[in-house]
Amino acid sequence: MRKMIRRDVDVLVIGSGAAGLLTAYYLINRNIRVSVVTKGYGATAMSSGCFDILGMLDNKFLESFREGFDRLPDSHPYRVISMNKLTTLLNLFQSALREANSILDLYMGEVTRNINVITLFGTIKPTALIQKSMKGSILLPDGKYLFLGFNNVFDYNPKLQARMLLSFARIMGFKNIRAFGERINLGINIPSIHFLPVLLRRKKIHDAFMNTLDNLMNKYSPDSILIPPVFDKIEYLKDIQDDFPLYEVPSASPYKAGLRLNRLLWRLVESSGVPIYHAEDLRAIVARREISKITIRKNEKETEIHANIFVLATGDLVGGGLKIVTKKSSLEKELIDSVFGLKIANLSKKTFRDDIFSNHNLSKFGFKINENLQPISESNEPMIDNLYVTGAIIGGYDINEEKSGLGIPLVTAFRLSNLLKKAEV
Ligand SMILES: Cc1cc2nc3c(=O)[nH]c(=O)nc-3n(C[C@H](O)[C@H](O)[C@H](O)COP(=O)(O)OP(=O)(O)OC[C@H]3O[C@@H](n4cnc5c(N)ncnc54)[C@H](O)[C@@H]3O)c2cc1C
C-alpha cells in the first residue's frame, strides 16, 4: 500500500529556478512557512549566471534599465509590478539585492548601470551583475584579451573567438581593442575543456599550466586570459588569479556559471530551513477557482501539501513551465502551463517564424499578470484566487530582444514576498 504523508504550509512554491528559490528565500525571511516542490533544474542552471536586467531596446545597448523603462509597453512585467513608476522599480531591485546579500558575495556590478562583457562567442553583451570570476571579461575600450584553448580540444575555437571580438568591437566603435587566440599543450590529451578542473588537481599538470600561463603573459601581456566557466567551485580559479589574470567569459550551458548560481540559491534556501521536495509526478487539486493541495508521488510515497497560497515559478518553455498541446477538437495548438493546464494562448501558424533572426512571438508568451502578480484572464480576472506567479512564466517580455532574463525572477520574487507579507497569509 502507498504511504501517505500530509504537510501544511502557508505558501507552496512550485519550481526551483531563480524565481522559485528567491521567492522561498524572501518568504522565509518574512516568517512565512514555505516549501518548494520541483522537477529539477530549469533555465537558470542553463544560463550564463549573469543577471541581465534590461540591456537592449530596438537593437541598441542601454546604459541602465532606467534608460529603457519609459519605452517598455504597459504590459511589461516591470511596468505592471511597479505600477508604472520607475522609482518603485528601482527601490524593488535595490531592496531585493540588499536582502539577498549572500548571493552578492559571488557577484559584482550594480542594478543601475549595465556593463558590457565579452561572451564565449566573442560577442559583447550588456548585463547588470556578473560573477566576480568573470571580472576580466568586462570590455575595456583599449583592452587586450587572450582567449585560451587547448590542443585537440574542439569545444570552442579561441582564434575564432578573438576574430569575432575584433569585428564586434569595431562595429561598436571600439577601435583599440586587441584580441588573440591560442591553443596550448599541457602534455596530456584533454578530451574536453570540462576535464580541466579535474586534471589541474594533478601537480604535474597544474605546474605545466602555470608555466604556460607565465609564457603567455610574456608573449602577449594581455589584460585578461579568458576561458569558459568550467569550474564548479571558483576557489581554485581564485588561487590562479593570485598570479595570473585568468577569468571566465559568460556562457550558457553546458558551462557552469548558471548551475553555480542555481546551486547557491538552492543551498541558501535549504539552509534557511525550507524543505525542497522533488516531484516526479505532481497533481493539483483545484475547485471553484481555489487550489487546496498538491499531491506529489515519489516511488511508493505520496505527499499531500496543503497551503493557503500557491506560487507558480515553473519558468517558460525551456524551464518546463509552459507546454504546447494539440487541441483534440480542432488539431490546433495551444500554449498551457504544465502544472494546472491553464491556457495562455492559441498558437496559430503566425506564431512560428522560419527566420530565426526575426522577432519570435513565442518567446514573449507567458501569463498576463495584475500588479499583485496573479495570472489573469483576458477579462483581467484572476484565473485562480490563491495562485501567484514569479519569474519567466510571466509573459510580455522577450529576454533575447531586451536582455532582461534573470532580472524578472529577482524583482518579481521580491515584490511577491512583500505583497504576501502584507496579506498575512
Ligand atoms: C540558454 C539560456 C541562456 C540564458 N542566459 C541568460 C543570461 O545570460 N542572463 C540572464 O539574465 N538570463 C539568461 N537566460 C534567461 C534566464 O535564465 C531565465 O529567464 C531565468 O532563469 C528564469 O528563471 P525561472 O526561475 O523563472 O525559471 P527556471 O529557471 O526555468 O525554473 C523553472 C523551475 O520549475 C521547474 N518546473 C517546470 N515545470 C514543472 C512542473 N510541471 N512541476 C514541477 N516543477 C516544474 C523546473 O524544474 C525548474 O526548477 C538564459 C536562458 C537560457 C535558456
Side-chain angles (χ1 to χ4, degrees):
M1 213 176 81
R2 191 166 271 144
K3 202 174 150 198
M4 168 76 85
I5 298 168
R6 178 181 166 136
R7 302 269 181 249
D8 286 88
V9 284
D10 297 323
V11 179
L12 179 64
V13 176
I14 309 165
S16 63
L21 294 172
L22 282 165
T23 306
Y25 179 69
Y26 291 133
L27 288 173
I28 195 83
N29 279 355
R30 283 155 185 71
N31 290 323
I32 293 174
R33 283 182 313 155
V34 56
S35 289
V36 175
V37 55
T38 182
K39 271 189 173 171
Y41 286 123
T44 304
M46 295 181 201
S47 75
S48 76
C50 299
F51 278 78
D52 302 350
I53 290 182
L54 185 66
M56 283 179 82
L57 276 182
D58 306 322
N59 276 326
K60 293 210 175 73
F61 283 32
L62 303 176
E63 289 200 356
S64 147
F65 76 89
R66 292 183 292 191
E67 200 190 319
F69 183 80
D70 284 342
R71 283 187 277 149
L72 296 175
D74 284 347
S75 55
H76 194 287
Y78 286 160
R79 291 190 77 105
V80 177
I81 63 162
S82 66
M83 286 156 285
N84 280 333
K85 287 200 189 80
L86 177 59
T87 46
T88 306
L89 186 63
L90 179 61
N91 281 339
L92 286 172
F93 267 123
Q94 285 175 331
S95 310
L97 277 174
R98 210 174 305 125
E99 195 169 324
N101 56 8
S102 334
I103 66 163
L104 280 185
D105 264 1
L106 186 68
Y107 281 88
M108 59 182 288
E110 293 166 36
V111 284
T112 49
R113 192 169 59 89
N114 287 330
I115 35 181
N116 295 332
V117 289
I118 299 162
T119 73
L120 182 69
F121 309 108
T123 56
I124 297 163
K125 84 165 202 163
T127 187
L129 303 175
I130 60 169
Q131 296 187 5
K132 286 177 184 162
S133 50
M134 300 172 179
K135 186 176 161 202
S137 72
I138 295 175
L139 186 81
L140 306 170
D142 49 3
K144 202 177 190 189
Y145 302 95
L146 175 65
F147 289 92
L148 188 64
F150 298 84
N151 267 6
N152 299 322
V153 168
F154 297 102
D155 298 13
Y156 59 94
N157 180 339
K159 287 214 156 71
L160 187 64
Q161 291 168 306
R163 276 209 298 277
M164 271 297 283
L165 175 58
L166 288 174
S167 317
F168 220 91
R170 221 161 280 140
I171 292 168
M172 289 185 67
F174 294 105
K175 298 211 171 72
N176 298 328
I177 301 271
R178 278 158 301 164
F180 313 93
E182 181 93 68
R183 283 187 203 276
I184 61 169
N185 187 351
L186 292 181
I188 183 169
N189 250 349
I190 300 182
S192 152
I193 179 79
H194 291 279
F195 288 82
L196 183 67
V198 178
L199 289 170
L200 283 179
R201 283 192 213 137
R202 293 194 208 159
K203 184 167 179 341
K204 208 171 140 196
I205 298 174
H206 176 268
D207 289 350
F209 187 57
M210 297 301 267
N211 276 337
T212 314
L213 291 180
D214 203 23
N215 294 338
L216 291 174
M217 288 305 293
N218 290 332
K219 183 172 171 191
Y220 294 101
S221 38
D223 293 308
S224 309
I225 303 177
L226 301 172
I227 54 162
V230 284
F231 292 91
D232 274 324
K233 293 188 177 154
I234 48 167
E235 282 68 27
Y236 190 86
L237 185 59
K238 275 191 198 152
D239 283 347
I240 300 176
Q241 285 170 348
D242 287 341
D243 297 310
F244 299 107
L246 183 71
Y247 289 98
E248 298 179 323
V249 268
S251 172
S253 177
Y255 300 106
K256 296 280 173 59
L259 194 58
R260 203 184 284 147
L261 166 66
N262 214 150
R263 283 188 179 144
L264 173 77
L265 291 172
W266 189 296
R267 282 197 302 273
L268 195 66
V269 167
E270 264 190 337
S271 64
S272 307
V274 176
I276 303 180
Y277 299 94
H278 186 259
E280 283 158 19
D281 179 17
L282 183 154
R283 263 163 231 186
I285 309 297
V286 188
R288 288 188 295 277
R289 289 197 1 184
E290 181 113 0
I291 310 160
S292 54
K293 64 180 177 188
I294 294 270
T295 309
I296 51 177
R297 262 187 216 160
K298 197 171 175 193
N299 306 327
E300 283 306 295
K301 217 170 78 183
E302 197 166 278
T303 308
E304 268 187 15
I305 309 180
H306 294 246
N308 301 330
I309 301 277
F310 293 80
V311 179
L312 202 53
T314 43
D316 54 16
L317 281 163
V318 181
L322 302 179
K323 63 180 188 185
I324 297 172
V325 291
T326 308
K327 280 194 247 174
K328 282 194 189 111
S329 50
S330 58
L331 293 182
E332 278 170 9
K333 294 195 186 304
E334 61 181 18
L335 188 70
I336 61 169
D337 95 271
S338 66
V339 175
F340 299 101
L342 297 169
K343 185 175 148 186
I344 288 167
N346 282 322
L347 300 180
S348 65
K349 279 193 179 145
K350 279 187 210 150
T351 313
F352 305 95
R353 300 247 170 104
D354 293 336
D355 175 6
I356 61 162
F357 295 110
S358 69
N359 297 343
H360 287 264
N361 291 331
L362 199 56
S363 49
K364 284 203 185 91
F365 281 147
F367 281 115
K368 186 177 161 194
I369 51 164
N370 62 19
E371 70 267 23
N372 295 328
L373 283 151
Q374 290 179 287
I376 52 173
S377 63
E378 275 165 25
S379 56
N380 297 334
E381 286 294 308
M383 287 175 158
I384 293 181
D385 291 335
N386 59 345
L387 181 66
Y388 295 79
V389 282
T390 54
I393 196 157
I394 299 170
Y397 72 102
D398 185 326
I399 60 163
N400 300 312
E401 277 176 58
E402 296 175 1
K403 296 272 174 277
S404 58
L406 281 159
I408 305 279
L410 174 68
V411 78
T412 53
F414 183 76
R415 171 80 180 134
L416 182 62
S417 64
N418 280 348
L419 286 168
L420 295 184
K421 180 188 162 202
K422 278 194 194 128
E424 288 180 9
V425 286

